[in-house]
Amino acid sequence: MRTALISLLSLALTSLVAAPAAAKSPVLVELFTSQGCSSCGKANLAAAELAERDDVLALTYSVDYWDYLGWKDTFAKPAFGERQRAYAKAFALRDVPTPQVVVAGKVQASGAKAETVEKLIDAAHLPPAPDMEFVGTNRVAIGSGASPRGGAEVWLVRFDPRKQEIAVKRGDNRGQTIIHRNVVREIVKIGAWTGRPKMYRLPALAKDDDLATAIIVQGAKGGRVLGVLPPGGKSR
């Protein structure tokens, strides 16, 4: 049984090298926002529109450091603020701005400036991405490619693709309804990637049929994004 499983995984890795070109990796657009931030509603709407584009994977992370204003964000987790702080350090920012959009791990801008964000997306020149493919329900195969200095990390993201409306009852946005799309619920680092083909086992997370799964390969400590595997497919 073990021999058969090893052969299957080896075949999957080999197929990534030999297979014809898969779908091009989408541009990763990450919005850091909060229901308690008075200027974030506009950014949320812009991110919801980006979620309709096939060439973009737009993810929304709710941060918790605005909760002191009187409204506790219903989706916020400390891990999302930690990811934003890693970007702030990589971009040499003094603080974490909100709303903030990070495009392909390379550039950042105010999430409220939709036109600026769209220009950054259109100008994003992505490096050749490694081939990636989900294998069964609990593994992902990543092919070969160029790994940046300092190495790369592989992240599992679970997000809710549905449109959600949250009525804010306290704080600066009291009485407003905040729109959300592609709300990240979990983000977990599943390993390192050195540029060689490798199979990764996905961690066991709480089962939720409403959530979608994506894989991100990027430079360590908030580095540039090297490739994105969107839900349900192959990518390169």
Side-chain angles (χ1 to χ4, degrees), residues 29 77 145 152 175 182 213:
V29 177
K77 290 186 177 181
N182 289 6
T213 300

Side-chain angles (χ1 to χ4, degrees), residues 82-93:
E82 291 173 8
R83 183 168 179 82
Q84 188 183 21
R85 284 189 287 273
Y87 279 131
K89 187 174 182 179
F91 294 135
L93 302 178

Side-chain angles (χ1 to χ4, degrees), residues 18-126:
K24 183 179 179 181
S25 179
V27 178
L28 180 65
V29 177
E30 298 172 277
L31 169 66
F32 295 92
T33 183
S34 172
Q35 295 161 8
C37 162
S38 61
S39 58
C40 287
K42 184 177 180 180
N44 280 35
L45 289 173
E49 293 181 1
L50 289 175
E52 301 293 336
R53 288 178 55 167
D54 293 333
D55 61 337
V56 168
L57 177 60
L59 298 176
T60 299
Y61 300 85
S62 287
V63 296
D64 61 1
Y65 50 79
W66 286 92
D67 290 356
Y68 77 95
L69 292 177
W71 176 258
K72 187 174 182 180
D73 193 293
T74 56
F75 300 123
K77 290 186 177 181
F80 305 154
E82 291 173 8
R83 183 168 179 82
Q84 188 183 21
R85 284 189 287 273
Y87 279 131
K89 187 174 182 179
F91 294 135
L93 302 178
R94 291 185 177 181
D95 204 350
V96 286
T98 316
Q100 181 188 36
V101 163
V102 176
V103 177
K106 295 171 59 178
V107 291
Q108 65 87 35
S110 168
K113 298 181 179 179
E115 291 185 2
T116 298
V117 172
E118 289 184 3
K119 289 179 181 178
L120 292 177
I121 294 170
D122 294 340
H125 298 292
L126 304 180

